[in-house]
Amino acid sequence: MSLDNIRVVLVSPIYSGNIGSVCRAMMNMGISDLAIAAPRGPINYPEARMMACHAEAVLDNRKEFPTLAEAVADCGLVAGTTGREGLYREHGKTPREWAPRLLQAAESCKVALVFGTEDNGLSNEDMALCTQIVRIPSNPQYSSLNLSQAVMVFCYELYVAAGVFEPPVEKSVEAPSAMREAMFRKWRVSLQEIGFMEEEKSDHMMLGIRRIFSRGPLTVKDVQIMMGVAAQTLWCAGQMKKRTDEPPPTLILPDEL
Amino acid sequence: MSLDNIRVVLVSPIYSGNIGSVCRAMMNMGISDLAIAAPRGPINYPEARMMACHAEAVLDNRKEFPTLAEAVADCGLVAGTTGREGLYREHGKTPREWAPRLLQAAESCKVALVFGTEDNGLSNEDMALCTQIVRIPSNPQYSSLNLSQAVMVFCYELYVAAGVFEPPVEKSVEAPSAMREAMFRKWRVSLQEIGFMEEEKSDHMMLGIRRIFSRGPLTVKDVQIMMGVAAQTLWCAGQMKKRTDEPPPTLILPDEL
């Protein structure tokens, strides 16, 4: 699978907590190959571990390299993220724009996603190693994303573009017209029986009711529930009539009805 | 603008650091209305502040409500995020699928994005208040996102869908054919002059060169650079010939050329 060939490369990250958050974001998005280029020193493991949560394996399996060149040496494409302008950075595209190209390459070779340090991003020397320049869309008034948030957005876009996510299946299909009409007949009778509307106003009122139920999808299960409501209402109206001769209260409806 | 009407609602968040990270993610994506429903107690301000970075204003302007019902009382749509299955949660759609509907509503009313606690997510009672169920695509092996990461993905999708991000403009247009052809003529001569290829092999070799330069877009600026390279190479070859009678070295090329 293409996602197996995606490597996240962090250049000299400052905060171990961020490294842990990166591990979690990666695993959430089905990516597990983490490299740290030019590490600043030993990682603060408890701090990283706390943020990694259940992605400890990504943290433990990370590789460290003295330089970015070594961390990406075996990668066909090298995508560098930047928030800055200038020096050819205007050629940058968004993660969504690059995703198909990166995933296609990842079918046959390693592909690196490179992220600079928290304070300064990627240096010009680092950018020179990149074949793709990536710009994450963000508010010009505050465009600097937290490191792990930037990793999340990029990995999320690749995960979605990979098409491996299976959305939950709508278990009940859209109800057929005949079933809906049966429901509306039942509602018409029950609304008359409880004194909600009189016969001569029923056609108009039922148009309003139909409009409400047509605003969104209406499944077989939905119609079954609303049929049940009408049936029970009818039963209740019958019980009421047996016990009292008092007419039902007059309903106050909004003017436009 | 629609994004001004988007409110992020956190229900009983546990970690103040997460609240700060949420503020930053929101501001990165042009969203600033933060509400905390059923807070667990006073926020740990230094911790939240550290993660909020330059989004301190979002943190300071947050509103707190005793219940979720109060936090969303004025919201037309209420979108609740869940990673769990069951209880109608299979009707959930992704942030990308919901974005147009939410933004359309946000043109005329407040719209809430609701996120549950770090450990348990939204309760069934909370979900009942939601008009939209949202499922963020993630790896089934580890689908639980960090709270602020979930906020980031959702806000990012809305920001992108709002279409307010202006990508950097490609400053140099695609070079016209006549310009490219002038470049290829110059390359042909210069490659012959430095002994890279002989006249009889030049047509074939130039096809390879053309293929390389046609793999991606080639701008006017790109062609100017490569024309300069050829011109300088020609000059250099001329200087060389003046100073030595020794023929240039025989080039070893890969077989397929």
Side-chain angles (χ1 to χ4, degrees):
Chain A
M1 197 171 81
S2 290
L3 293 175
D4 294 334
N5 268 339
I6 302 288
R7 176 181 304 159
V8 169
V9 183
L10 308 180
V11 181
S12 310
I14 299 171
Y15 306 107
S16 295
N18 271 340
I19 299 175
S21 294
V22 163
C23 294
R24 181 172 181 178
M26 288 172 60
M27 192 168 160
N28 284 155
M29 297 301 148
I31 293 170
S32 58
D33 182 358
L34 174 65
I36 297 180
R40 283 166 192 261
I43 199 171
N44 179 332
Y45 196 81
E47 212 179 283
R49 172 70 191 80
M50 195 179 72
M51 298 309 288
C53 286
H54 298 295
E56 201 173 4
V58 177
L59 183 63
D60 292 338
N61 293 329
R62 76 189 184 280
K63 293 186 193 77
E64 302 195 350
F65 298 87
T67 64
L68 176 58
E70 288 160 282
V72 302
D74 59 339
C75 296
L77 293 189
V78 180
T81 49
T82 177
R84 283 190 281 175
E85 305 275 327
L87 207 85
Y88 286 92
R89 289 188 179 85
E90 70 269 18
H91 298 274
K93 292 189 195 301
T94 67
R96 195 170 297 178
E97 289 172 315
W98 279 128
R101 171 89 176 94
L102 298 176
L103 288 173
Q104 184 201 28
E107 282 171 20
S108 57
C109 67
K110 292 276 175 199
V111 168
L113 318 181
V114 184
F115 300 84
T117 40
E118 287 92 336
D119 49 1
N120 282 316
L122 291 171
S123 68
N124 291 344
E125 198 187 359
D126 293 335
M127 288 301 296
L129 285 164
C130 298
T131 54
Q132 260 69 27
I133 301 174
V134 182
R135 183 74 185 275
I136 294 176
S138 62
N139 177 8
Q141 266 79 55
Y142 186 27
S143 65
S144 166
L145 271 62
N146 163 276
L147 173 58
S148 75
Q149 301 275 19
V151 172
M152 173 54 104
V153 169
F154 204 164
C155 291
Y156 162 77
E157 282 288 0
L158 291 175
Y159 182 74
V160 171
V164 290
F165 177 67
E166 307 232 342
V169 177
E170 186 74 47
K171 283 183 188 134
S172 186
V173 295
E174 204 97 19
S177 175
M179 194 176 174
R180 273 200 309 273
E181 292 307 316
M183 177 186 81
F184 289 133
R185 281 192 297 275
K186 203 134 204 141
W187 268 65
R188 185 188 179 105
V189 178
S190 76
L191 293 179
Q192 288 176 344
E193 287 300 306
I194 61 172
F196 178 80
M197 59 191 188
E198 288 153 10
E199 176 58 34
E200 63 268 30
K201 288 188 178 167
S202 293
D203 282 351
H204 185 222
M205 181 58 75
M206 284 310 292
L207 287 176
I209 301 281
R210 282 171 178 276
R211 214 168 53 224
I212 292 170
F213 284 116
S214 300
R215 287 265 160 76
L218 202 65
T219 68
V220 168
K221 198 174 166 187
D222 297 337
V223 173
Q224 284 165 345
I225 289 173
M226 298 318 286
M227 288 273 273
V229 168
Q232 194 69 9
T233 304
L234 261 179
W235 173 82
C236 181
Q239 292 291 312
M240 179 191 69
K241 283 186 182 168
K242 279 185 202 162
R243 294 179 198 176
T244 173
D245 288 334
E246 204 184 310
T250 306
L251 255 151
I252 311 295
L253 289 170
D255 279 348
E256 65 266 31
L257 286 173
Chain B
M1 197 171 81
S2 290
L3 293 175
D4 294 333
N5 269 339
I6 302 289
R7 175 180 305 159
V8 169
V9 183
L10 307 181
V11 180
S12 308
I14 301 171
Y15 306 107
S16 295
N18 271 341
I19 299 175
S21 294
V22 163
C23 294
R24 180 171 181 178
M26 288 171 61
M27 191 170 163
N28 285 154
M29 297 302 146
I31 293 170
S32 58
D33 183 358
L34 174 64
I36 298 181
R40 284 167 191 261
I43 198 170
N44 178 332
Y45 197 81
E47 212 178 283
R49 173 71 191 79
M50 195 179 73
M51 298 308 289
C53 287
H54 299 293
E56 200 172 4
V58 177
L59 183 63
D60 292 340
N61 294 329
R62 76 187 184 283
K63 292 186 194 77
E64 302 195 351
F65 299 87
T67 64
L68 177 58
E70 287 160 283
V72 301
D74 59 340
C75 296
L77 293 190
V78 180
T81 50
T82 177
R84 281 190 281 173
E85 306 275 329
L87 209 84
Y88 287 92
R89 290 189 176 85
E90 70 269 19
H91 297 274
K93 293 189 195 299
T94 66
R96 195 170 299 177
E97 288 170 315
W98 280 129
R101 171 90 176 94
L102 299 176
L103 289 173
Q104 185 201 27
E107 281 170 20
S108 57
C109 67
K110 294 277 176 198
V111 168
L113 317 181
V114 184
F115 300 85
T117 39
E118 287 93 335
D119 48 1
N120 283 316
L122 291 171
S123 69
N124 290 344
E125 199 187 358
D126 293 336
M127 288 302 296
L129 285 164
C130 299
T131 54
Q132 261 67 28
I133 301 174
V134 183
R135 181 73 186 275
I136 295 176
S138 62
N139 177 9
Q141 266 80 56
Y142 187 27
S143 64
S144 166
L145 271 62
N146 162 276
L147 173 59
S148 75
Q149 301 274 19
V151 173
M152 172 55 104
V153 169
F154 204 164
C155 292
Y156 162 77
E157 282 288 358
L158 291 175
Y159 182 75
V160 170
V164 289
F165 177 68
E166 306 230 345
V169 178
E170 186 75 49
K171 284 183 187 132
S172 185
V173 293
E174 204 98 18
S177 176
M179 195 178 173
R180 274 200 308 273
E181 292 306 315
M183 176 187 83
F184 288 134
R185 282 193 295 275
K186 203 136 203 139
W187 267 64
R188 184 187 178 106
V189 178
S190 76
L191 292 179
Q192 287 175 344
E193 286 300 304
I194 61 171
F196 177 81
M197 58 190 188
E198 289 156 9
E199 175 58 35
E200 65 266 31
K201 288 189 178 166
S202 293
D203 283 349
H204 184 225
M205 180 59 74
M206 285 310 293
L207 287 176
I209 301 282
R210 281 171 179 276
R211 212 169 53 224
I212 292 169
F213 283 116
S214 300
R215 286 263 158 77
L218 204 64
T219 68
V220 169
K221 198 173 166 190
D222 296 336
V223 172
Q224 284 164 345
I225 289 174
M226 298 317 287
M227 289 273 274
V229 168
Q232 194 70 8
T233 303
L234 261 178
W235 173 83
C236 182
Q239 292 292 311
M240 179 190 72
K241 282 185 181 170
K242 279 186 200 159
R243 293 177 198 178
T244 171
D245 288 333
E246 206 184 310
T250 306
L251 256 153
I252 311 293
L253 290 170
D255 280 347
E256 65 267 34
L257 286 172

